[in-house]
Amino acid sequence: MSSPVCITNYLAKYLERNFNVVVYDWDTRETIVPQPGDILLGHPHPSPGTILRNSWRFPGWGRKILLCPFAHAMPEYIAFLEPFVSDCDCYCAICGQYWMETIDTTPFAHWKGKMKRIDMAVDRQVFPPVKKTFNPQGERRFLYIGKAGENKGTDYLDYLARLNSNIHFGWVGTVAKKPSAVKMHGYINLASSKGREILGMYDFLLTCGRSDANPTTILEGAAAGLIPVCTPQSGYVNEDWVINIPLNNAGAASAILQDLQVAQESRLLELQQNAKKRLESHFTWERFGEDVATAIQSPPAVDRGHPQWKTLAKRNRELLARFSAMTPCSQSAGRRWLSPQKWIKAVVKGFTHG
């Protein structure tokens, strides 16, 4: 299942305990007319004329709550949210701690007072452990799960694979052109027997995100028993079950990957157990539902989270207006995006090695 569908299904079931819940497809073009006291909760589509945009402007809502990912390193992806954040009662921002720790120096700093950070979740029954022992030292494997994309850092992933030719790198997902140094497995349902077989072949789940809010694949890989290895810009930092590698410093990142190749299995088993405890205690759909329900029922948030809020907000909104025109969307004209392969050629000179 894709993350939006998973979130919708699990969250709707939780909220149905205390609310009457009606679910709509986010890309439809209808308008919801509220009854007194109704609450609008959702993720704005970047395309004009879609259901949440149409319904948001309709008067009469009891509360309006945003629920969508937040990662600020590539402002053009989320700048279009500005009018929704300004007008919402609360922004439930799905993101790792990294993005909140670094927001104050970004064009989104004035959003902070409206935001409630929410971690993603995983259903461990859908992704049971498959990794009980690791491959021998020097023969360990790294797996990426997901689509190609600038924000996902898949160009950096391919670059690391080419620099570390002694290491096996794999990719579950689809891409227009096969990376030169990565084994492509294509699209596979990881909850299937074939998916579990593929997961069992690997030792580490590698994500090289540039602006990735809180990828679910890290939780799914960890639930299966793989050790997550990721950039801080993949959202996960300061966790005792995650290994962080630097973004755009391939030499330092490669040193960490090579070190993991020869790490004692006892160290990997320790990381695996740390992940199990953390997934059980925090990264659950029950906790996710509680977080959203609390936001729905809390007093409206204020967006003056910064001492010089008015000046800051005015300056930032001018910046975001420019970025908003660049929002990638298949149904609107705007910035022309490089293909993953052309992007690799365009930025590879920016990587440092050493």
Side-chain angles (χ1 to χ4, degrees):
M1 293 185 290
S2 62
S3 292
V5 174
C6 290
I7 292 171
T8 300
N9 289 344
Y10 285 107
L11 182 58
K13 289 178 182 178
Y14 182 92
L15 294 178
E16 283 169 355
R17 301 176 191 178
N18 297 301
F19 299 92
N20 293 322
V21 178
V22 180
V23 177
Y24 297 85
D25 290 333
W26 84 309
D27 55 357
T28 60
R29 304 244 158 200
E30 56 189 303
T31 299
I32 308 168
V33 179
Q35 298 298 313
D38 279 358
I39 298 166
L40 182 61
L41 168 70
H43 179 171
H45 197 294
S47 178
T50 43
I51 184 167
L52 190 133
R53 285 174 175 266
N54 296 342
S55 307
W56 193 271
R57 295 192 298 266
F58 209 95
W61 292 105
R63 302 201 71 188
K64 293 189 283 188
I65 311 291
L66 288 185
L67 175 66
C68 57
F70 173 76
H72 57 65
M74 298 175 67
E76 60 269 33
Y77 274 75
I78 59 170
F80 77 95
L81 294 176
E82 163 60 33
F84 298 96
V85 177
S86 295
D87 189 43
C88 74
D89 293 290
C90 182
Y91 175 12
C92 293
I94 301 173
C95 65
Q97 187 63 41
Y98 174 85
W99 299 112
M100 293 302 291
E101 290 176 350
T102 54
I103 191 176
D104 289 338
T105 57
T106 75
F108 305 98
H110 64 294
W111 290 6
K112 192 172 181 180
K114 286 265 186 109
M115 297 173 78
K116 175 181 176 61
R117 188 182 75 82
I118 297 183
D119 278 316
M120 270 301 299
V122 65
D123 187 339
R124 297 184 67 246
Q125 292 185 335
V126 177
F127 298 95
V130 298
K131 195 73 180 176
K132 297 180 180 178
T133 60
F134 294 90
N135 288 315
Q137 291 173 314
E139 299 178 21
R140 290 169 182 158
R141 299 178 167 201
F142 291 80
L143 179 68
Y144 170 70
I145 301 170
K147 61 183 180 180
E150 183 180 352
N151 65 317
K152 295 289 186 179
T154 47
D155 55 311
Y156 188 47
L157 172 77
D158 186 47
Y159 187 58
L160 288 175
R162 285 185 276 125
L163 285 178
N164 297 274
S165 58
N166 65 309
I167 297 178
H168 179 99
F169 292 80
W171 184 333
V172 169
T174 56
V175 63
K177 184 178 179 181
K178 178 184 179 298
S180 59
V182 180
K183 166 68 175 177
M184 296 301 299
H185 295 284
Y187 172 77
I188 298 172
N189 181 352
L190 296 178
S192 67
S193 58
K194 178 64 175 178
R196 290 193 293 271
E197 179 185 344
I198 294 294
L199 289 172
M201 294 166 52
Y202 287 85
D203 304 281
F204 304 100
L205 191 287
L206 178 62
T207 300
C208 298
R210 277 194 186 83
S211 193
D212 208 355
N214 202 205
T216 312
T217 54
I218 288 180
L219 301 179
E220 294 169 350
L226 278 66
I227 309 300
V229 180
C230 68
T231 56
Q233 292 83 354
S234 296
Y236 296 85
V237 291
N238 301 322
E239 294 276 0
D240 65 1
W241 53 281
V242 174
I243 303 295
N244 285 127
I245 59 171
L247 180 64
N248 291 351
N249 187 335
S254 295
I256 294 171
L257 302 185
Q258 294 291 345
D259 182 65
L260 291 172
Q261 272 287 357
V262 296
Q264 294 295 318
E265 182 156 327
S266 59
R267 170 62 176 149
L268 304 186
L269 291 171
E270 178 185 7
L271 289 165
Q272 194 180 65
Q273 284 303 306
N274 291 344
K276 181 176 181 292
K277 293 175 183 177
R278 187 74 167 131
L279 296 184
E280 289 175 346
S281 65
H282 179 70
F283 291 97
T284 67
W285 286 111
E286 182 74 12
R287 188 271 315 153
F288 187 97
E290 289 174 1
D291 285 350
V292 175
T294 298
I296 290 173
Q297 299 175 87
S298 296
V302 295
D303 50 8
R304 290 161 177 78
H306 191 282
Q308 292 81 37
W309 181 83
K310 288 185 178 180
T311 301
L312 181 71
K314 182 177 184 298
R315 185 196 69 189
N316 287 351
R317 283 170 178 160
E318 291 172 354
L319 288 172
L320 294 181
R322 301 174 200 169
F323 282 119
S324 185
M326 299 164 61
T327 297
C329 178
S330 60
Q331 300 185 42
S332 64
R335 176 174 176 177
R336 181 178 178 182
W337 296 92
L338 295 175
S339 69
Q341 291 71 36
K342 290 182 179 178
W343 174 253
I344 290 172
K345 295 176 183 176
V347 304
V348 72
K349 293 180 181 178
F351 299 146
T352 60
H353 186 220

